[in-house]
Amino acid sequence: MSTAYQEDISTSVLRRMKEGGFDFSQFHPIEFYAIFPDEERARRAAGHFRGESLNAQISAREDGAWSLELSRVMYATYDDIGDFELNFEAVVEPLGGIIEGWGVKQEIRRLQA
């Protein structure tokens, strides 16, 4: 995936988060996603990120591929997300994986009557 393309996506997502009232002053678990052709490669990729205060989940997909979701607690900034994406890509691609992007869960604030 080209860096310029990913930058456009990240800029758009961060803009929508800001418009939605996302609290950028707090740490949040940011999820990074990748797909691998087999479980062994997904586990090898996850192993590269041990000790970085993150959670890794590996699961089989219906199409026979394997999903890796890494959740790292960090600030949701363009630079921090971009830096981690570069490190993630440097591990994932040599193992035959494909980067699927990133996401963060946003708390919905309900208006009180």
Side-chain angles (χ1 to χ4, degrees):
M1 178 177 297
S2 86
T3 306
Y5 177 72
Q6 191 61 32
E7 289 172 2
D8 291 342
I9 291 172
S10 291
T11 299
S12 176
V13 170
L14 290 165
R15 184 179 313 109
R16 287 192 314 255
M17 289 165 57
K18 183 177 180 179
E19 291 167 356
F22 188 84
D23 184 358
F24 288 95
S25 69
Q26 301 292 318
F27 286 109
H28 296 275
I30 310 292
E31 288 88 26
F32 297 87
Y33 307 99
I35 306 298
F36 290 88
D38 56 56
E39 180 181 11
E40 189 268 332
R41 290 187 235 190
R43 291 195 182 282
R44 282 180 42 203
H48 281 277
F49 296 98
R50 285 193 185 129
E52 292 195 35
S53 67
L54 50 85
N55 181 31
Q57 295 182 6
I58 298 166
S59 58
R61 294 169 30 124
E62 289 182 16
D63 63 2
W66 286 78
S67 296
L68 168 61
E69 177 185 317
L70 285 177
S71 179
R72 183 169 191 220
V73 176
M74 60 193 295
Y75 286 111
T77 67
Y78 183 83
D79 288 337
D80 288 348
I81 290 169
D83 289 346
F84 190 81
E85 277 184 310
L86 289 175
N87 292 333
F88 192 50
E89 184 176 45
V91 170
V92 167
E93 289 187 352
L95 292 171
I98 299 168
I99 302 293
E100 287 281 294
W102 64 272
V104 62
K105 293 178 177 82
Q106 185 168 348
E107 191 174 306
I108 303 294
R109 296 183 186 155
R110 296 177 190 240
L111 298 175
Q112 295 183 357

